């Protein structure tokens, strides 16, 4: 029986899941794949729409009653955080980090990027937030529709093309403040539908195959890369697919606990009593 799987079309996800999607993982069931931005999968996961699903770590407090957190396959690392972008004429002004009067475009209200932004901007929140499809954020900031934009993934490589400048790297801010890597996207397995230990094994084997033969997934990755140039695809994979993709480990789970603990203390997400170190096997 096939399992439903939802991932983004981004190169890190297609690279990691190529072997599983294409039936190359011994013992793994077939999967029916849906490709969607993480803001869409966050919402769909609340409805229990998928057996295996990529979501934002920021969405976990609403999902762990119905899903196991898997210790692999997601996006977590260093030097890979979201950016807040502005036009150069704004960022050149004294006090430019103060967005209190600004309209800021964000890619989703339960994304990790937005949660980090809210923690960073707690003492100087912007006047207005607009949830905007990711591909519209940088053009919108460049055109003056928004004072600033919160971007993720490949945008950190391409934003200068839009004439924009980085106001803050939220990953650098997080790492300097906590010493921990930044948790971005998690892989969840629906309780009662998927054995979490088995699923972790399938995904780890898919990751192993991806690293062992990167060329095998190349055509598939590029086909879903949304007009991304091959060199940007390579940089994207190199940054977001790392040791934490194979195993969150102690540092990875500590980062998740720190993010959601701080957010809960600030009243931004519900408190959760789940132990992230054991949530995937509980």
């Amino acid at each position: 029986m096939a399992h439903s799987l939802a991932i983004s079309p981004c190169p890190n996800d297609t690279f990691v899941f190529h072997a599983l999607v294409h039936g190359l993982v011994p013992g793994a069931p077939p999967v029916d794949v849906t490709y969607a931005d993480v803001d869409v999968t966050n919402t769909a996961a609340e409805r229990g729409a998928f057996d295996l699903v990529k979501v934002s770590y920021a969405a976990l407090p609403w999902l762990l009653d119905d899903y196991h957190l898997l210790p692999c396959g997601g996006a977590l690392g260093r030097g890979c955080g979201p950016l807040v972008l502005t036009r150069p004429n704004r960022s050149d002004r004294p006090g430019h980090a103060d967005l209190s009067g600004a309209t800021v475009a964000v890619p989703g209200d339960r994304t990790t990027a937005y949660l980090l932004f809210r923690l960073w901007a707690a003492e100087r929140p912007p006047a207005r937030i607009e949830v905007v499809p990711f591909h519209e954020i940088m053009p919108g900031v460049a055109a003056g529709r928004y004072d600033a934009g919160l971007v993720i993934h490949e945008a950190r490589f391409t934003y200068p093309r839009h004439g924009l400048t980085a106001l803050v790297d939220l990953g650098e801010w997080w790492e300097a403040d906590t010493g921990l890597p930044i948790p971005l996207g998690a892989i969840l397995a629906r309780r009662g539908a998927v054995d979490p230990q088995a699923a972790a094994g399938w995904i780890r084997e898919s990751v192993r195959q991806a690293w062992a033969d990167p060329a095998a997934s190349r055509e598939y990755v590029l086909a879903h890369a949304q007009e991304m140039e091959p060199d940007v695809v390579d940089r994207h994979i190199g940054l977001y697919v790392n040791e934490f993709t194979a195993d969150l480990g102690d540092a990875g789970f500590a980062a998740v606990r720190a993010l959601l603990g701080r957010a809960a203390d600030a009243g931004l997400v519900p408190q959760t009593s789940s132990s992230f170190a054991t949530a995937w096997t509980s």
Side-chain angles (χ1 to χ4, degrees):
M1 180 179 176
H3 287 318
S4 55
L5 167 70
I7 56 175
S8 82
C10 292
N12 59 309
D13 281 357
T14 50
F15 180 77
V16 163
F17 284 91
H18 169 263
L20 182 60
V21 167
H22 290 84
L24 302 176
V25 174
V31 294
D32 294 328
V33 189
T34 296
Y35 302 96
D37 289 341
V38 73
D39 193 44
V40 174
T41 60
N42 286 344
T43 301
E46 282 198 79
R47 305 192 307 267
F50 299 104
D51 300 325
L52 294 165
V53 59
K54 170 81 170 284
V55 300
S56 301
Y57 273 108
L60 257 60
W62 291 273
L63 299 174
L64 285 181
D65 285 345
D66 298 314
Y67 284 88
H68 299 275
L69 169 63
L70 298 187
C72 54
L76 188 148
R78 298 183 183 276
C80 60
L83 305 178
V84 180
L85 304 179
T86 62
R87 295 180 300 285
N89 60 340
R90 177 182 174 85
S91 63
D92 288 343
R93 296 206 311 265
H96 66 266
D98 184 358
L99 294 173
S100 57
T103 296
V104 180
V106 305
D109 59 359
R110 285 193 182 173
T111 60
T112 306
Y114 184 44
L115 183 58
L116 284 166
F117 176 82
R118 294 173 78 189
L119 290 169
W120 172 76
E123 296 180 3
R124 50 192 185 283
R128 186 180 181 194
I129 293 292
E130 290 194 25
V131 176
V132 176
F134 175 68
H135 68 277
E136 296 179 11
I137 292 178
M138 289 190 292
V141 176
R145 290 192 296 274
Y146 316 108
D147 298 302
L150 180 63
V151 301
I152 54 176
H153 292 332
E154 71 278 0
R156 70 182 301 116
F157 307 127
T158 61
Y159 73 85
R161 301 177 191 176
H162 295 266
L164 302 177
T165 188
L167 179 70
V168 62
D169 182 325
L170 293 174
E172 289 182 359
W173 168 77
W174 171 260
E175 290 177 49
D177 199 46
T178 67
L180 295 167
I182 184 168
L184 297 169
I187 305 297
L188 306 183
R190 189 159 60 91
R191 295 179 184 270
V194 186
D195 179 277
Q197 290 179 300
W202 307 331
I203 293 169
R204 284 195 171 115
E205 174 59 17
S206 195
V207 173
R208 187 198 68 76
Q209 291 189 35
W211 278 333
D213 186 6
S217 63
R218 189 69 172 172
E219 182 178 350
Y220 170 64
V221 169
L222 290 176
H224 290 277
Q226 300 178 332
E227 302 181 2
M228 228 181 285
E229 300 93 333
D231 67 309
V232 175
V233 168
D234 291 340
R235 293 168 72 189
H236 184 114
I237 292 171
L239 185 60
Y240 294 103
V241 184
N242 52 48
E243 68 271 22
F244 296 108
T245 311
D247 187 2
L248 285 176
D250 291 342
F253 282 116
V256 179
R257 286 194 294 270
L259 175 67
L260 297 185
R262 286 186 176 207
D265 289 345
L268 302 178
V269 303
Q271 291 280 355
T272 176
S273 59
S274 296
S275 167
F276 293 110
T278 58
W280 70 286
T281 58
S282 63

